[in-house]
């Protein structure tokens, strides 16, 4: 008969296997709004030509995406329960001239206007810092900035003067952010699509952009683009851990001026160092984490060893 711990391990193993089994790469028929929101033409070309080599999402990140999808569906239900008219949820869009495609979260009819909207779920740490469109445009998180760019291409494609970004996190009311049409951002994405199309027609690949921790450190094609860089460190894609690292860095700075944040800092520090123990070197977002085994000398106590984990911000 299985013990309680063995039952837990069986369930966890099945969970990881289930999440891993449902991952797959697909061949895009167009330049997607998501791809064009990334300021790297080389990435856009790889997305069309090397799609089968795209790094599959980690099971943990897959679970986070599933949570976000559930929160998105709950948000649409909430809007309708409020008596608002919601249409075109997950409607596919295609701009044939530039071979741009996408799937919008929906359109909201209010005040005589039909307003495109996108829903984005966030961690509480980040959620409380974002309140305006400028916060979105200037966000440290590439994921949030990407969502803003995606909405802009839908505004341009549909000739809409404004849109709506709905931010969600658990245990908080939604935040509604008015997003004006930004022709400069829209033109930037159109030019990127034109560049990708030109490379596809010529059978060429764009040059790499200068290394960017936020972009390159999370890139699904890093092992194709810069294989030597991958060999140096384990590049991790985990938005939840990155947010915790950002928060730990923020608290570390505050502790220089005030002692009132020790408990939160210590809890985050302990949690993060436990996760990275045994991993020689990892890069996630703007952070490099190194771990090495330290031997304790034998004095009165027995000799032993422990993992020393160092977290530092990349320059």
């Amino acid at each position: 008969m299985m013990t309680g711990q063995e039952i837990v391990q069986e369930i966890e193993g099945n969970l990881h296997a289930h999440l891993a089994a449902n991952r797959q790469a697909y061949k895009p028929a167009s330049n997607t709004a998501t791809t064009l929101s990334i300021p790297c033409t080389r990435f856009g070309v790889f997305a069309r030509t090397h799609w089968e080599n795209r790094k599959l999402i980690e099971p943990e990140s897959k679970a986070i995406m599933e949570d976000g999808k559930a929160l998105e569906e709950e948000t649409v239900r909430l809007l309708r329960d409020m008596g608002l008219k919601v249409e075109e949820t997950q409607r596919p869009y295609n701009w044939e001239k530039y071979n741009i495609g996408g799937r919008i979260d929906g359109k909201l009819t209010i005040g005589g206007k039909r307003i495109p909207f996108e829903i984005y779920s966030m961690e509480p740490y980040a959620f409380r810092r974002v309140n305006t469109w400028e916060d979105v445009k200037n966000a440290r998180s590439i994921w949030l900035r990407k969502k803003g760019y995606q909405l802009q291409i839908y505004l341009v494609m549909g000739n809409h003067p404004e849109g709506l970004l709905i931010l969600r996190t658990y245990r908080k009311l939604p935040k509604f952010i008015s997003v004006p049409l930004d022709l400069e951002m829209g033109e930037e994405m159109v030019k990127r699509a034109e560049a990708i199309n030109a490379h596809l027609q010529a059978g060429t690949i764009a040059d790499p952009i200068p290394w960017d921790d936020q972009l390159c450190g999370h890139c699904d094609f890093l092992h194709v683009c810069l294989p030597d860089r991958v060999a140096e460190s384990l590049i991790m894609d985990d938005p939840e851990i990155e947010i915790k690292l950002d928060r730990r860095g923020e608290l570390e700075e505050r502790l220089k001026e005030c002692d009132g944040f020790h408990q939160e800092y210590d809890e985050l520090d302990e949690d993060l160092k436990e996760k990275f123990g045994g991993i020689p070197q990892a890069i996630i977002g703007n952070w490099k984490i190194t771990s090495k085994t330290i031997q304790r000398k034998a004095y009165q106590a027995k000799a032993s060893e422990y993992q020393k984990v160092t977290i530092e911000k990349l320059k």
Side-chain angles (χ1 to χ4, degrees):
M1 183 176 293
M2 297 177 68
T3 66
Q5 186 57 37
E6 287 172 338
I7 291 173
V8 169
Q9 291 174 349
E10 178 78 8
I11 294 172
E12 290 177 345
N14 288 340
L15 173 61
H16 278 258
H18 168 72
L19 292 171
N22 284 276
R23 302 174 300 166
Q24 60 179 345
Y26 67 94
K27 183 178 181 179
S30 62
N31 304 307
T32 67
T34 302
T35 296
L36 295 176
S37 68
I38 298 174
C40 176
T41 302
R42 186 176 175 90
F43 173 88
V45 174
F46 281 144
R48 300 289 304 280
T49 62
H50 291 65
W51 61 271
E52 71 277 11
N53 300 124
R54 191 167 192 157
K55 178 186 173 184
L56 296 178
I57 189 171
E58 297 294 333
E60 291 82 0
S61 296
K62 174 69 173 176
I64 293 172
M65 288 182 62
E66 292 297 330
D67 283 346
K69 183 179 179 181
L71 200 53
E72 177 183 318
E73 293 171 351
E74 191 276 331
T75 301
V76 171
R77 285 196 299 270
L78 175 62
L79 292 172
R80 286 176 171 154
D81 289 345
M82 291 163 55
L84 298 174
K85 187 176 182 180
V86 180
E87 300 176 304
E88 300 185 25
T89 55
Q90 297 305 312
R91 175 192 165 183
Y93 274 75
N94 185 46
W95 196 351
E96 293 185 7
K97 181 178 180 180
Y98 302 106
N99 197 18
I100 296 175
R103 191 177 294 272
I104 194 168
D105 286 347
K107 287 185 179 179
L108 185 67
T109 300
I110 187 169
K113 296 182 178 180
R114 299 178 75 241
I115 304 174
F117 68 82
E118 285 286 297
I119 303 169
Y120 180 66
S121 58
M122 311 173 66
E123 285 293 317
Y125 293 137
F127 180 83
R128 64 190 180 200
R129 294 198 297 260
V130 182
N131 299 289
T132 67
W133 170 234
E134 290 301 317
D135 292 337
V136 175
K137 289 178 65 175
N138 300 319
R140 289 183 297 173
S141 167
I142 180 179
W143 314 105
L144 179 56
R145 295 200 308 271
K146 281 172 56 179
K147 204 65 172 177
Y149 269 91
Q150 286 175 236
L151 182 53
Q152 286 295 337
I153 199 66
Y154 295 134
L155 296 183
V156 172
M157 289 168 66
N159 195 28
H160 294 283
E162 58 192 349
L164 192 66
L165 185 59
I166 306 174
L167 305 182
R168 295 302 314 265
T169 195
Y170 287 101
R171 293 184 166 183
K172 295 289 184 182
L173 293 175
K175 284 184 180 180
F176 299 91
I177 295 180
S178 178
V179 178
L181 172 64
D182 188 320
L183 290 176
E184 184 176 342
M185 292 177 69
E187 184 180 357
E188 180 183 340
M189 297 179 73
V190 169
K191 287 183 176 179
R192 198 169 296 138
E194 289 180 315
I196 293 169
N197 294 335
H199 280 290
L200 293 177
Q201 186 173 4
T204 55
I205 296 175
D207 293 333
I209 63 172
W211 177 268
D212 182 291
D213 296 311
Q214 280 278 325
L215 293 172
C216 305
H218 288 291
C219 182
D220 294 338
F221 294 106
L222 182 58
H223 60 294
V224 178
C225 180
L226 299 171
D228 294 339
R229 186 86 186 207
V230 175
E232 297 173 5
S233 304
L234 171 64
I235 309 296
M236 299 183 65
D237 174 17
D238 193 321
E240 183 177 2
I241 292 180
E242 183 181 355
I243 288 171
K244 289 182 178 181
L245 286 165
D246 287 343
R247 178 60 175 170
R248 178 189 176 278
E250 180 182 319
L251 293 171
E252 192 171 39
E253 289 300 314
R254 292 190 179 186
L255 284 173
K256 295 176 182 179
E257 304 173 357
C258 174
D259 291 334
F261 301 93
H262 267 295
Q263 182 177 352
E264 184 182 356
Y265 174 85
D266 291 342
E267 288 176 356
L268 273 174
D269 188 63
E270 181 180 358
D271 177 52
L272 289 165
K273 288 182 176 179
E274 182 178 349
K275 289 181 185 296
F276 287 98
I279 299 176
Q281 182 166 293
I283 291 176
I284 177 167
N286 289 323
W287 301 92
K288 181 173 76 172
I289 304 96
T290 55
S291 174
K292 60 181 179 179
T293 302
I294 304 296
Q295 300 289 337
R296 287 193 180 98
K297 295 182 179 180
Y299 293 106
Q300 293 180 342
K302 291 183 179 180
S304 60
E305 64 182 33
Y306 66 96
Q307 293 291 320
K308 182 180 179 181
V309 179
T310 304
I311 300 173
E312 58 181 323
K313 193 165 188 178
L314 294 166
K315 304 298 184 184

